[in-house]
Amino acid sequence: MKKIIYPVILLTLLSLASCKSKKNMVSTLPSPVLNTDSVHADTAATVPADVFAPDHAGLKELDVSKEKKSEPAKKQTIAGTESADRVLREAKITSSTESVSSAYAGVDRVVKYDFTHRDVPEAFEGFRIAFVSDLHYKSLLKEQGLNNLVRLLIAQKADVLLMGGDYQEGCEYVEPLFAALSRVKTPMGTYGVMGNNDYERCHDEIVRTMKHYGMRVLEHEVDTLRKDGQQIIIAGVRNPFDLTHNGVSPTLALSPKDFVILLVHTPDYIEDVSVANTDLALAGHTHGGQVRVFGVAPVLNSHYGNRFLTGLAYNTAKIPLIITNGIGTSQLPIRIGAPAEVVMITLHRLAE
């Protein structure tokens, strides 16, 4: 029997293709534009909206050209040991895992992070962020699994929902997917970026549908979350595989004094370009390998190999990155050794 099973498993693993399509990514997108027009404020706040607006004095410098494409990466690598040590001193990150598969079939676990940082405003102490990515609806994730995911997200009582792209496996699934996700109500709303699948098909439909349900699409844009007169910034990257058009991170125009979360589909972006002023980056795309046997993934969706496969990682500048395994699958509806997961992040202010 073993002689039969092992070859079958081997053939299955070898046949599993990357979720990064062989098709060329869209390269005709408009030049980067940053907006902060969508603001979610705490209802008790009485401070005028423009008082705590982020510093965007550098916005005019975000025009991207081929000559500038390699420059951000140089800035990141020359930041030096002192800057890297400063980042590490200002952050403390712990994690735990909760199995939920018995109650929410289709999702295996919730990975919980406590993220403590000096720049977290006092008003955001205990602020809860839900992060999901790579739903690939309908692949392994189908109607019942989607309903269970929605129930789980509602039960987490997050303050904001962030989504990392690769939402669908067909344009006919866009409307029912976001209709279901719209049932997740959070005080600060829902934000999302696009994945490579979403640029190859259904892009405009996804954007329209998300906006229809009150969700915010961040394509090289930033948005401000305000509470009790204080703020944190959510920045989103447009098509991170196309560095010719998108090789300048939207975080470069922000103030280093702000607490900034960068939402991007692929983790490679935080190493490919400078993401200065980022305090925490969130990504998906890798599926955690999707199939891992004895911890080894035969297919890797990162050109940095296992470095950015799953969980907590750091780029060269020591900026922390949380990479989720995601929920769905690509090519084959199989997950082995890479549990489908929801990520929950709780913010804390680092005591002086």
Side-chain angles (χ1 to χ4, degrees), residues 34-293:
L34 300 191
N35 295 317
T36 56
D37 54 338
S38 175
V39 177
H40 292 269
D42 180 74
T43 54
T46 58
V47 181
D50 58 350
V51 172
F52 292 91
D55 180 7
H56 288 162
L59 285 182
K60 294 182 180 179
E61 301 175 2
L62 287 183
D63 292 332
V64 184
S65 66
K66 291 184 179 179
E67 289 74 23
K68 292 182 180 179
K69 183 176 68 171
S70 61
E71 184 177 343
K74 291 181 181 179
K75 290 181 180 178
Q76 177 169 299
T77 56
I78 66 174
T81 304
E82 182 178 350
S83 176
D85 290 344
R86 179 184 62 80
V87 172
L88 290 176
R89 286 198 304 270
E90 291 176 353
K92 179 182 178 182
I93 309 167
T94 60
S95 65
S96 61
T97 301
E98 177 187 359
S99 176
V100 296
S101 56
S102 59
Y104 302 97
V107 184
D108 297 311
R109 67 186 188 183
V110 176
V111 182
K112 301 178 179 180
Y113 291 88
D114 283 286
F115 189 88
T116 305
H117 194 278
R118 189 187 68 177
D119 288 344
V120 172
E122 291 181 5
F124 286 84
E125 171 65 37
F127 189 81
R128 291 170 57 79
I129 301 165
F131 175 50
V132 296
S133 186
D134 298 272
L135 276 64
H136 288 277
Y137 187 69
K138 300 177 176 178
S139 55
L140 189 63
L141 181 71
K142 293 185 170 56
E143 291 96 335
Q144 187 57 51
L146 177 58
N147 287 330
N148 288 337
L149 172 62
V150 168
R151 289 196 304 112
L152 174 59
L153 288 171
I154 293 172
Q156 294 303 306
K157 300 185 184 305
D159 293 295
V160 68
L161 172 61
L162 305 182
M163 304 188 297
D166 272 7
Y167 300 108
Q168 45 68 38
E169 286 294 322
C171 296
E172 66 270 29
Y173 305 131
V174 171
E175 168 62 29
L177 170 64
F178 290 104
L181 290 173
S182 69
R183 290 158 40 201
V184 182
K185 307 296 184 184
T186 67
M188 297 289 183
T190 297
Y191 295 79
V193 294
M194 300 290 158
N196 47 292
N197 278 21
D198 308 317
Y199 287 110
E200 292 166 4
R201 60 173 179 259
C202 318
H203 173 271
D204 292 347
E205 183 178 349
I206 292 172
V207 172
R208 285 195 303 271
T209 305
M210 289 181 67
K211 290 181 177 179
H212 171 75
Y213 286 108
M215 303 173 185
R216 182 84 159 90
V217 182
L218 297 177
E219 295 200 284
H220 256 64
E221 296 176 300
V222 302
D223 212 335
T224 309
L225 307 185
R226 294 189 176 96
K227 186 176 183 182
D228 296 340
Q230 297 179 325
Q231 70 178 31
I232 63 175
I233 306 296
I234 308 294
V237 174
R238 176 183 58 218
N239 196 350
F241 302 97
D242 181 3
L243 298 185
T244 299
H245 290 81
N246 306 314
V248 173
S249 168
T251 63
L252 298 190
L254 300 174
S255 169
K257 296 179 181 180
D258 282 316
F259 183 78
V260 177
I261 297 174
L262 179 64
L263 189 59
V264 59
H265 181 63
T266 174
D268 290 359
Y269 191 84
I270 73 155
E271 188 67 26
D272 290 342
V273 306
S274 171
V275 292
N277 301 322
T278 299
D279 296 299
L280 173 64
L282 303 178
H285 184 61
T286 66
H287 296 191
Q290 189 167 314
V291 172
R292 299 206 327 247
V293 179

